[in-house]
C-alpha cells in the first residue's frame, strides 16, 4: 500500500479552476478512528464556500476538501468496536473526503445498508444528518404536517422532501423554474412554487387552506427571513441552515409573538463529536431502516471521476443540478 494519497485542495480562493489534486501522506487512524479507502464523496455547498475562501476548516482540520464520504474500512485505530476491516461505511467528516484515503471517526460513521451503492452512500451523510437534525429533531416535523422547503431540487431539498414524505408529511417546495418544480412533483411533492414567478407566501398559504406550512426549511436567508415569518402557520417552526442571500435583514418580529413561532438554526461542521455521534445513532435507528426498504435513497444528479473535480464544482456552481453531485474515486462503486 502506498504511503501517500491523492487529495484535493483549493490552491487559493476562487472558482473551480483553483482546485488541485496533489499527493499527501496517507493518514493514520488514531484512537476511535478508522482508515477508509474512499469510493465516493458528495459535493456540498460548504465545499464551494471553502473553495471561495468563505468557509475555512475548523482549527486543526485538514485543508483537504470534503465533508462526507463512503468507502471500505482498511484498518482500525485503538478502541474501535462497531466496525472491522472490509466493512462498507459512510461517514461525516470535518474535512478530507476528497481523497483516495481518509480517516473517519467511528462515532460519526454508519454502515451502508445492503443494496445501497457506495455512490449513493457517498451522498448520504452531510445532507441526511443536516435534514434529520433540523427538520425532524429541532423543528419536530410530524406525520400529517406540512413542510415548506426552499430550494427543493438541491441535495438538502430532495433529501428533506423524500424523508418528509416517508414519515407521512405533506411537502411544498420552492424552485427556480417550471422544470425544477416538475422534478420535485415527480419526487412526490404535494405542491411546487416557482419563486421567480410566484409569491411563495401567498401560494403556500393557498395550498394549506390559509394556514401556512407547519415547518419551513430555509437556506436562503435575506428577505426570506421576514417572508417566512409571514408564511408559517400558527405554532409553526422555521429551521434556518444557511444564508445564501445574506444573514442580515430588516424584520418585523411581531408574528413571532402573535403566531407563537419557533425560529431555530444550526450548522453541522463545527458541532462536537459527541453531538454528531448522537445524531448518527438517531439516523441509524430511524432513517437506515427507511433506506433499507428502498425508500428515500439519495437522489444522484451526476457523478464525476476524481480527476474531474473542477467539473463537479462547476456543475454545483451552475445551480442546474437536481439532487446530489458525487465525486467517484473507485469506478466499481
Amino acid at each position: 500500500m502506498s504511503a501517500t494519497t491523492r487529495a484535493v485542495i483549493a490552491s487559493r480562493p476562487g472558482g473551480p479552476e483553483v482546485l488541485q489534486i496533489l499527493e499527501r501522506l496517507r493518514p493514520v487512524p488514531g484512537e476511535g478512528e478508522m482508515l477508509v479507502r474512499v469510493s465516493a464523496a458528495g459535493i456540498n455547498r460548504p465545499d464551494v464556500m471553502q473553495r471561495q475562501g468563505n468557509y475555512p476548516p475548523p482549527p486543526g482540520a485538514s485543508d483537504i476538501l470534503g465533508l462526507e464520504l463512503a468507502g471500505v474500512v482498511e484498518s482500525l485505530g485503538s478502541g474501535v468496536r462497531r466496525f472491522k476491516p472490509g466493512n462498507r461505511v459512510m461517514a461525516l467528516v470535518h474535512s478530507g473526503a476528497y481523497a483516495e484515503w481518509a480517516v473517519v471517526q467511528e462515532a460519526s460513521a454508519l454502515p451502508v445498508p445492503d443494496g445501497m451503492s457506495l455512490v449513493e452512500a457517498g451522498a448520504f451523510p452531510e445532507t441526511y444528518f443536516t435534514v434529520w437534525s433540523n427538520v425532524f429533531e429541532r423543528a419536530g416535523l410530524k406525520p400529517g404536517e406540512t413542510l415548506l422547503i426552499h430550494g427543493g431540487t438541491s441535495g438538502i431539498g430532495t433529501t428533506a422532501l423524500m424523508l418528509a414524505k416517508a414519515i407521512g408529511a405533506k411537502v411544498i417546495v420552492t424552485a427556480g423554474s417550471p422544470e425544477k418544480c416538475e422534478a420535485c412533483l415527480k419526487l412526490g411533492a404535494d405542491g411546487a412554487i416557482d419563486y421567480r414567478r410566484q409569491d411563495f407566501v401567498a401560494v403556500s398559504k393557498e395550498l394549506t387552506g390559509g394556514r401556512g406550512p407547519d415547518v419551513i426549511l430555509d437556506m436562503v436567508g435575506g428577505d426570506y427571513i421576514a417572508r417566512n415569518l409571514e408564511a408559517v402557520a400558527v405554532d409553526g417552526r422555521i429551521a434556518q441552515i444557511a444564508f445564501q442571500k445574506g444573514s442580515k435583514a430588516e424584520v418585523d418580529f411581531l408574528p413571532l409573538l402573535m403566531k407563537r413561532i419557533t425560529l431555530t438554526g444550526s450548522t453541522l461542521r463545527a458541532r462536537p463529536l459527541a453531538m454528531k455521534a448522537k445524531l448518527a445513532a438517531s439516523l441509524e435507528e430511524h432513517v437506515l431502516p427507511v433506506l433499507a426498504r428502498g425508500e428515500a435513497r439519495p437522489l444522484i444528479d451526476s457523478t464525476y471521476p476524481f480527476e474531474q473535480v473542477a467539473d463537479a464544482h462547476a456543475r454545483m456552481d451552475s445551480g442546474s443540478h437536481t439532487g446530489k453531485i458525487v465525486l467517484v474515486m473507485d469506478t466499481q462503486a
Side-chain angles (χ1 to χ4, degrees):
M1 185 192 307
S2 171
T4 62
T5 179
R6 291 191 301 164
V8 177
I9 66 162
S11 59
R12 63 186 186 280
E17 71 280 356
V18 307
L19 297 175
Q20 288 187 351
I21 298 175
L22 42 69
E23 293 280 337
R24 286 283 178 87
L25 288 175
R26 182 166 52 84
V28 177
E31 184 175 359
E33 296 177 337
M34 307 179 292
L35 177 66
V36 173
R37 181 188 290 272
V38 181
S39 297
I43 308 288
N44 293 285
R45 186 63 58 184
D47 304 341
V48 171
M49 294 170 61
Q50 180 174 334
R51 186 201 77 212
Q52 294 169 336
N54 298 322
Y55 193 39
S62 165
D63 61 344
I64 298 170
L65 273 72
L67 303 177
E68 62 180 348
L69 60 83
V72 178
V73 177
E74 176 71 21
S75 61
L76 310 176
S78 62
V80 175
R81 299 286 181 266
R82 294 175 55 230
F83 299 101
K84 60 184 180 181
N87 286 165
R88 301 193 315 154
V89 296
M90 49 191 179
L92 190 70
V93 293
H94 49 55
S95 63
Y98 291 14
E100 295 170 317
W101 295 92
V103 161
V104 306
Q105 295 276 355
E106 178 188 37
S108 59
L110 292 166
V112 178
D114 291 341
M116 186 174 177
S117 72
L118 287 172
V119 168
E120 290 176 303
F124 176 90
E126 174 70 14
T127 46
Y128 283 73
F129 273 66
T130 298
V131 167
W132 186 256
S133 173
N134 287 280
V135 174
F136 296 93
E137 293 190 342
R138 300 179 69 86
L141 181 69
K142 301 175 184 65
E145 292 189 321
T146 299
L147 169 67
L148 171 62
I149 304 166
H150 290 306
T153 56
S154 66
I156 291 286
T158 55
T159 298
L161 193 169
M162 293 186 293
L163 281 180
K165 294 300 294 183
I167 71 151
K170 297 179 180 178
V171 178
I172 301 168
V173 303
T174 64
S177 70
E179 294 76 19
K180 287 194 170 188
C181 286
E182 182 61 28
C184 291
L185 292 171
K186 287 181 178 178
L187 272 180
D190 299 280
I193 303 167
D194 183 344
Y195 67 80
R196 299 185 192 277
R197 296 173 174 84
Q198 298 172 287
D199 176 6
F200 77 77
V201 176
V203 179
S204 64
K205 286 187 174 182
E206 179 184 333
L207 292 172
T208 53
R211 291 185 63 254
D214 301 286
V215 175
I216 297 177
L217 177 63
D218 183 33
M219 59 198 82
V220 180
D223 65 331
Y224 275 41
I225 297 171
R227 296 170 72 193
N228 289 335
L229 291 171
E230 184 182 354
V232 75
V234 172
D235 291 316
R237 292 86 72 196
I238 301 170
Q240 193 78 44
I241 60 168
F243 294 103
Q244 292 177 8
K245 290 180 68 173
S247 58
K248 296 180 180 180
E250 184 174 328
V251 180
D252 179 357
F253 280 106
L254 185 61
L256 192 74
L257 304 182
M258 302 304 293
K259 294 199 284 186
R260 302 181 297 278
I261 297 166
T262 298
L263 177 59
T264 183
S266 72
T267 60
L268 187 60
R269 189 179 197 180
R271 290 196 197 183
L273 179 60
M275 293 182 68
K276 293 178 181 177
K278 185 177 180 180
L279 190 51
S282 184
L283 283 162
E284 188 159 9
E285 178 182 356
H286 299 289
V287 177
L288 291 197
V290 176
L291 270 62
R293 296 196 301 266
E295 299 177 34
R297 294 277 183 89
L299 178 66
I300 307 301
D301 170 85
S302 50
T303 61
Y304 288 83
F306 187 58
E307 293 76 14
Q308 294 178 18
V309 61
D311 294 333
H313 269 239
R315 174 73 175 169
M316 174 69 81
D317 286 358
S318 75
S320 58
H321 59 289
T322 297
K324 292 296 292 282
I325 302 166
V326 181
L327 193 62
V328 178
M329 293 71 163
D330 180 357
T331 56
Q332 302 304 311

mmCIF file with all atom_site columns, all heavy atoms in Angstrom, residues 3-20:
data_model
loop_
_atom_site.group_PDB
_atom_site.id
_atom_site.type_symbol
_atom_site.label_atom_id
_atom_site.label_alt_id
_atom_site.label_comp_id
_atom_site.label_asym_id
_atom_site.label_entity_id
_atom_site.label_seq_id
_atom_site.pdbx_PDB_ins_code
_atom_site.Cartn_x
_atom_site.Cartn_y
_atom_site.Cartn_z
_atom_site.occupancy
_atom_site.B_iso_or_equiv
_atom_site.pdbx_formal_charge
_atom_site.auth_seq_id
_atom_site.auth_comp_id
_atom_site.auth_asym_id
_atom_site.auth_atom_id
_atom_site.pdbx_PDB_model_num
ATOM 1   N N   . ALA A 1 3  ? 2.269   4.910  0.683   1.00 0.00 ? 3  ALA A N   1
ATOM 2   C CA  . ALA A 1 3  ? 2.259   5.745  1.890   1.00 0.00 ? 3  ALA A CA  1
ATOM 3   C C   . ALA A 1 3  ? 1.655   7.116  1.620   1.00 0.00 ? 3  ALA A C   1
ATOM 4   O O   . ALA A 1 3  ? 1.615   7.971  2.501   1.00 0.00 ? 3  ALA A O   1
ATOM 5   C CB  . ALA A 1 3  ? 3.677   5.911  2.414   1.00 0.00 ? 3  ALA A CB  1
ATOM 6   N N   . THR A 1 4  ? 1.187   7.330  0.393   1.00 0.00 ? 4  THR A N   1
ATOM 7   C CA  . THR A 1 4  ? 0.602   8.623  0.045   1.00 0.00 ? 4  THR A CA  1
ATOM 8   C C   . THR A 1 4  ? -0.834  8.440  -0.441  1.00 0.00 ? 4  THR A C   1
ATOM 9   O O   . THR A 1 4  ? -1.284  7.327  -0.699  1.00 0.00 ? 4  THR A O   1
ATOM 10  C CB  . THR A 1 4  ? 1.417   9.327  -1.051  1.00 0.00 ? 4  THR A CB  1
ATOM 11  O OG1 . THR A 1 4  ? 1.413   8.523  -2.245  1.00 0.00 ? 4  THR A OG1 1
ATOM 12  C CG2 . THR A 1 4  ? 2.847   9.562  -0.591  1.00 0.00 ? 4  THR A CG2 1
ATOM 13  N N   . THR A 1 5  ? -1.523  9.540  -0.567  1.00 0.00 ? 5  THR A N   1
ATOM 14  C CA  . THR A 1 5  ? -2.875  9.555  -1.113  1.00 0.00 ? 5  THR A CA  1
ATOM 15  C C   . THR A 1 5  ? -3.038  10.783 -1.984  1.00 0.00 ? 5  THR A C   1
ATOM 16  O O   . THR A 1 5  ? -2.482  11.849 -1.681  1.00 0.00 ? 5  THR A O   1
ATOM 17  C CB  . THR A 1 5  ? -3.936  9.571  0.006   1.00 0.00 ? 5  THR A CB  1
ATOM 18  O OG1 . THR A 1 5  ? -5.240  9.606  -0.582  1.00 0.00 ? 5  THR A OG1 1
ATOM 19  C CG2 . THR A 1 5  ? -3.776  10.767 0.924   1.00 0.00 ? 5  THR A CG2 1
ATOM 20  N N   . ARG A 1 6  ? -3.754  10.644 -3.062  1.00 0.00 ? 6  ARG A N   1
ATOM 21  C CA  . ARG A 1 6  ? -4.114  11.824 -3.836  1.00 0.00 ? 6  ARG A CA  1
ATOM 22  C C   . ARG A 1 6  ? -5.267  12.530 -3.130  1.00 0.00 ? 6  ARG A C   1
ATOM 23  O O   . ARG A 1 6  ? -6.180  11.881 -2.609  1.00 0.00 ? 6  ARG A O   1
ATOM 24  C CB  . ARG A 1 6  ? -4.509  11.450 -5.255  1.00 0.00 ? 6  ARG A CB  1
ATOM 25  C CG  . ARG A 1 6  ? -3.346  10.951 -6.110  1.00 0.00 ? 6  ARG A CG  1
ATOM 26  C CD  . ARG A 1 6  ? -3.751  10.859 -7.578  1.00 0.00 ? 6  ARG A CD  1
ATOM 27  N NE  . ARG A 1 6  ? -4.881  9.954  -7.757  1.00 0.00 ? 6  ARG A NE  1
ATOM 28  C CZ  . ARG A 1 6  ? -5.651  9.904  -8.850  1.00 0.00 ? 6  ARG A CZ  1
ATOM 29  N NH1 . ARG A 1 6  ? -5.404  10.730 -9.856  1.00 0.00 ? 6  ARG A NH1 1
ATOM 30  N NH2 . ARG A 1 6  ? -6.635  9.046  -8.939  1.00 0.00 ? 6  ARG A NH2 1
ATOM 31  N N   . ALA A 1 7  ? -5.240  13.840 -3.106  1.00 0.00 ? 7  ALA A N   1
ATOM 32  C CA  . ALA A 1 7  ? -6.242  14.611 -2.386  1.00 0.00 ? 7  ALA A CA  1
ATOM 33  C C   . ALA A 1 7  ? -6.458  15.948 -3.083  1.00 0.00 ? 7  ALA A C   1
ATOM 34  O O   . ALA A 1 7  ? -5.603  16.415 -3.842  1.00 0.00 ? 7  ALA A O   1
ATOM 35  C CB  . ALA A 1 7  ? -5.816  14.831 -0.940  1.00 0.00 ? 7  ALA A CB  1
ATOM 36  N N   . VAL A 1 8  ? -7.603  16.570 -2.809  1.00 0.00 ? 8  VAL A N   1
ATOM 37  C CA  . VAL A 1 8  ? -7.982  17.818 -3.465  1.00 0.00 ? 8  VAL A CA  1
ATOM 38  C C   . VAL A 1 8  ? -7.941  18.968 -2.467  1.00 0.00 ? 8  VAL A C   1
ATOM 39  O O   . VAL A 1 8  ? -8.532  18.882 -1.378  1.00 0.00 ? 8  VAL A O   1
ATOM 40  C CB  . VAL A 1 8  ? -9.399  17.724 -4.064  1.00 0.00 ? 8  VAL A CB  1
ATOM 41  C CG1 . VAL A 1 8  ? -9.813  19.067 -4.680  1.00 0.00 ? 8  VAL A CG1 1
ATOM 42  C CG2 . VAL A 1 8  ? -9.466  16.623 -5.110  1.00 0.00 ? 8  VAL A CG2 1
ATOM 43  N N   . ILE A 1 9  ? -7.259  20.046 -2.853  1.00 0.00 ? 9  ILE A N   1
ATOM 44  C CA  . ILE A 1 9  ? -7.272  21.275 -2.066  1.00 0.00 ? 9  ILE A CA  1
ATOM 45  C C   . ILE A 1 9  ? -7.609  22.442 -2.995  1.00 0.00 ? 9  ILE A C   1
ATOM 46  O O   . ILE A 1 9  ? -7.557  22.314 -4.221  1.00 0.00 ? 9  ILE A O   1
ATOM 47  C CB  . ILE A 1 9  ? -5.922  21.550 -1.368  1.00 0.00 ? 9  ILE A CB  1
ATOM 48  C CG1 . ILE A 1 9  ? -4.833  21.831 -2.419  1.00 0.00 ? 9  ILE A CG1 1
ATOM 49  C CG2 . ILE A 1 9  ? -5.523  20.395 -0.456  1.00 0.00 ? 9  ILE A CG2 1
ATOM 50  C CD1 . ILE A 1 9  ? -3.604  22.529 -1.849  1.00 0.00 ? 9  ILE A CD1 1
ATOM 51  N N   . ALA A 1 10 ? -7.953  23.569 -2.389  1.00 0.00 ? 10 ALA A N   1
ATOM 52  C CA  . ALA A 1 10 ? -8.079  24.820 -3.142  1.00 0.00 ? 10 ALA A CA  1
ATOM 53  C C   . ALA A 1 10 ? -6.763  25.575 -3.002  1.00 0.00 ? 10 ALA A C   1
ATOM 54  O O   . ALA A 1 10 ? -6.357  25.926 -1.896  1.00 0.00 ? 10 ALA A O   1
ATOM 55  C CB  . ALA A 1 10 ? -9.240  25.647 -2.611  1.00 0.00 ? 10 ALA A CB  1
ATOM 56  N N   . SER A 1 11 ? -6.082  25.803 -4.109  1.00 0.00 ? 11 SER A N   1
ATOM 57  C CA  . SER A 1 11 ? -4.768  26.445 -4.070  1.00 0.00 ? 11 SER A CA  1
ATOM 58  C C   . SER A 1 11 ? -4.852  27.905 -3.636  1.00 0.00 ? 11 SER A C   1
ATOM 59  O O   . SER A 1 11 ? -3.894  28.469 -3.105  1.00 0.00 ? 11 SER A O   1
ATOM 60  C CB  . SER A 1 11 ? -4.092  26.353 -5.441  1.00 0.00 ? 11 SER A CB  1
ATOM 61  O OG  . SER A 1 11 ? -4.901  26.979 -6.437  1.00 0.00 ? 11 SER A OG  1
ATOM 62  N N   . ARG A 1 12 ? -6.021  28.510 -3.856  1.00 0.00 ? 12 ARG A N   1
ATOM 63  C CA  . ARG A 1 12 ? -6.287  29.891 -3.452  1.00 0.00 ? 12 ARG A CA  1
ATOM 64  C C   . ARG A 1 12 ? -7.800  30.078 -3.557  1.00 0.00 ? 12 ARG A C   1
ATOM 65  O O   . ARG A 1 12 ? -8.489  29.270 -4.174  1.00 0.00 ? 12 ARG A O   1
ATOM 66  C CB  . ARG A 1 12 ? -5.560  30.883 -4.364  1.00 0.00 ? 12 ARG A CB  1
ATOM 67  C CG  . ARG A 1 12 ? -6.016  30.828 -5.813  1.00 0.00 ? 12 ARG A CG  1
ATOM 68  C CD  . ARG A 1 12 ? -5.192  31.706 -6.732  1.00 0.00 ? 12 ARG A CD  1
ATOM 69  N NE  . ARG A 1 12 ? -5.732  31.742 -8.097  1.00 0.00 ? 12 ARG A NE  1
ATOM 70  C CZ  . ARG A 1 12 ? -5.534  30.793 -9.007  1.00 0.00 ? 12 ARG A CZ  1
ATOM 71  N NH1 . ARG A 1 12 ? -4.790  29.739 -8.698  1.00 0.00 ? 12 ARG A NH1 1
ATOM 72  N NH2 . ARG A 1 12 ? -6.056  30.908 -10.219 1.00 0.00 ? 12 ARG A NH2 1
ATOM 73  N N   . PRO A 1 13 ? -8.352  31.119 -2.980  1.00 0.00 ? 13 PRO A N   1
ATOM 74  C CA  . PRO A 1 13 ? -9.794  31.362 -3.134  1.00 0.00 ? 13 PRO A CA  1
ATOM 75  C C   . PRO A 1 13 ? -10.131 31.637 -4.594  1.00 0.00 ? 13 PRO A C   1
ATOM 76  O O   . PRO A 1 13 ? -9.406  32.345 -5.292  1.00 0.00 ? 13 PRO A O   1
ATOM 77  C CB  . PRO A 1 13 ? -10.037 32.603 -2.270  1.00 0.00 ? 13 PRO A CB  1
ATOM 78  C CG  . PRO A 1 13 ? -8.921  32.607 -1.278  1.00 0.00 ? 13 PRO A CG  1
ATOM 79  C CD  . PRO A 1 13 ? -7.729  32.063 -2.021  1.00 0.00 ? 13 PRO A CD  1
ATOM 80  N N   . GLY A 1 14 ? -11.229 31.055 -5.048  1.00 0.00 ? 14 GLY A N   1
ATOM 81  C CA  . GLY A 1 14 ? -11.622 31.292 -6.430  1.00 0.00 ? 14 GLY A CA  1
ATOM 82  C C   . GLY A 1 14 ? -12.637 30.300 -6.948  1.00 0.00 ? 14 GLY A C   1
ATOM 83  O O   . GLY A 1 14 ? -13.341 29.634 -6.181  1.00 0.00 ? 14 GLY A O   1
ATOM 84  N N   . GLY A 1 15 ? -12.701 30.186 -8.272  1.00 0.00 ? 15 GLY A N   1
ATOM 85  C CA  . GLY A 1 15 ? -13.637 29.297 -8.942  1.00 0.00 ? 15 GLY A CA  1
ATOM 86  C C   . GLY A 1 15 ? -13.124 27.871 -8.997  1.00 0.00 ? 15 GLY A C   1
ATOM 87  O O   . GLY A 1 15 ? -12.087 27.530 -8.410  1.00 0.00 ? 15 GLY A O   1
ATOM 88  N N   . PRO A 1 16 ? -13.829 26.991 -9.712  1.00 0.00 ? 16 PRO A N   1
ATOM 89  C CA  . PRO A 1 16 ? -13.426 25.593 -9.787  1.00 0.00 ? 16 PRO A CA  1
ATOM 90  C C   . PRO A 1 16 ? -12.001 25.374 -10.274 1.00 0.00 ? 16 PRO A C   1
ATOM 91  O O   . PRO A 1 16 ? -11.366 24.368 -9.934  1.00 0.00 ? 16 PRO A O   1
ATOM 92  C CB  . PRO A 1 16 ? -14.447 24.997 -10.774 1.00 0.00 ? 16 PRO A CB  1
ATOM 93  C CG  . PRO A 1 16 ? -15.643 25.871 -10.648 1.00 0.00 ? 16 PRO A CG  1
ATOM 94  C CD  . PRO A 1 16 ? -15.116 27.246 -10.409 1.00 0.00 ? 16 PRO A CD  1
ATOM 95  N N   . GLU A 1 17 ? -11.479 26.336 -11.034 1.00 0.00 ? 17 GLU A N   1
ATOM 96  C CA  . GLU A 1 17 ? -10.129 26.173 -11.595 1.00 0.00 ? 17 GLU A CA  1
ATOM 97  C C   . GLU A 1 17 ? -9.042  26.180 -10.517 1.00 0.00 ? 17 GLU A C   1
ATOM 98  O O   . GLU A 1 17 ? -7.908  25.756 -10.795 1.00 0.00 ? 17 GLU A O   1
ATOM 99  C CB  . GLU A 1 17 ? -9.851  27.277 -12.632 1.00 0.00 ? 17 GLU A CB  1
ATOM 100 C CG  . GLU A 1 17 ? -9.653  28.672 -12.063 1.00 0.00 ? 17 GLU A CG  1
ATOM 101 C CD  . GLU A 1 17 ? -10.951 29.394 -11.717 1.00 0.00 ? 17 GLU A CD  1
ATOM 102 O OE1 . GLU A 1 17 ? -12.041 28.828 -12.002 1.00 0.00 ? 17 GLU A OE1 1
ATOM 103 O OE2 . GLU A 1 17 ? -10.864 30.516 -11.175 1.00 0.00 ? 17 GLU A OE2 1
ATOM 104 N N   . VAL A 1 18 ? -9.331  26.624 -9.301  1.00 0.00 ? 18 VAL A N   1
ATOM 105 C CA  . VAL A 1 18 ? -8.298  26.673 -8.258  1.00 0.00 ? 18 VAL A CA  1
ATOM 106 C C   . VAL A 1 18 ? -8.133  25.320 -7.558  1.00 0.00 ? 18 VAL A C   1
ATOM 107 O O   . VAL A 1 18 ? -7.208  25.156 -6.751  1.00 0.00 ? 18 VAL A O   1
ATOM 108 C CB  . VAL A 1 18 ? -8.602  27.759 -7.203  1.00 0.00 ? 18 VAL A CB  1
ATOM 109 C CG1 . VAL A 1 18 ? -8.827  29.102 -7.876  1.00 0.00 ? 18 VAL A CG1 1
ATOM 110 C CG2 . VAL A 1 18 ? -9.776  27.387 -6.307  1.00 0.00 ? 18 VAL A CG2 1
ATOM 111 N N   . LEU A 1 19 ? -9.018  24.364 -7.862  1.00 0.00 ? 19 LEU A N   1
ATOM 112 C CA  . LEU A 1 19 ? -8.908  23.049 -7.230  1.00 0.00 ? 19 LEU A CA  1
ATOM 113 C C   . LEU A 1 19 ? -7.722  22.288 -7.813  1.00 0.00 ? 19 LEU A C   1
ATOM 114 O O   . LEU A 1 19 ? -7.538  22.233 -9.034  1.00 0.00 ? 19 LEU A O   1
ATOM 115 C CB  . LEU A 1 19 ? -10.196 22.255 -7.438  1.00 0.00 ? 19 LEU A CB  1
ATOM 116 C CG  . LEU A 1 19 ? -11.443 22.856 -6.792  1.00 0.00 ? 19 LEU A CG  1
ATOM 117 C CD1 . LEU A 1 19 ? -12.681 22.049 -7.163  1.00 0.00 ? 19 LEU A CD1 1
ATOM 118 C CD2 . LEU A 1 19 ? -11.295 22.925 -5.276  1.00 0.00 ? 19 LEU A CD2 1
ATOM 119 N N   . GLN A 1 20 ? -6.916  21.708 -6.949  1.00 0.00 ? 20 GLN A N   1
ATOM 120 C CA  . GLN A 1 20 ? -5.730  20.960 -7.366  1.00 0.00 ? 20 GLN A CA  1
ATOM 121 C C   . GLN A 1 20 ? -5.725  19.576 -6.719  1.00 0.00 ? 20 GLN A C   1
ATOM 122 O O   . GLN A 1 20 ? -6.095  19.423 -5.557  1.00 0.00 ? 20 GLN A O   1
ATOM 123 C CB  . GLN A 1 20 ? -4.459  21.697 -6.950  1.00 0.00 ? 20 GLN A CB  1
ATOM 124 C CG  . GLN A 1 20 ? -4.169  22.954 -7.735  1.00 0.00 ? 20 GLN A CG  1
ATOM 125 C CD  . GLN A 1 20 ? -2.806  23.536 -7.389  1.00 0.00 ? 20 GLN A CD  1
ATOM 126 O OE1 . GLN A 1 20 ? -2.151  23.099 -6.449  1.00 0.00 ? 20 GLN A OE1 1
ATOM 127 N NE2 . GLN A 1 20 ? -2.358  24.505 -8.165  1.00 0.00 ? 20 GLN A NE2 1
#
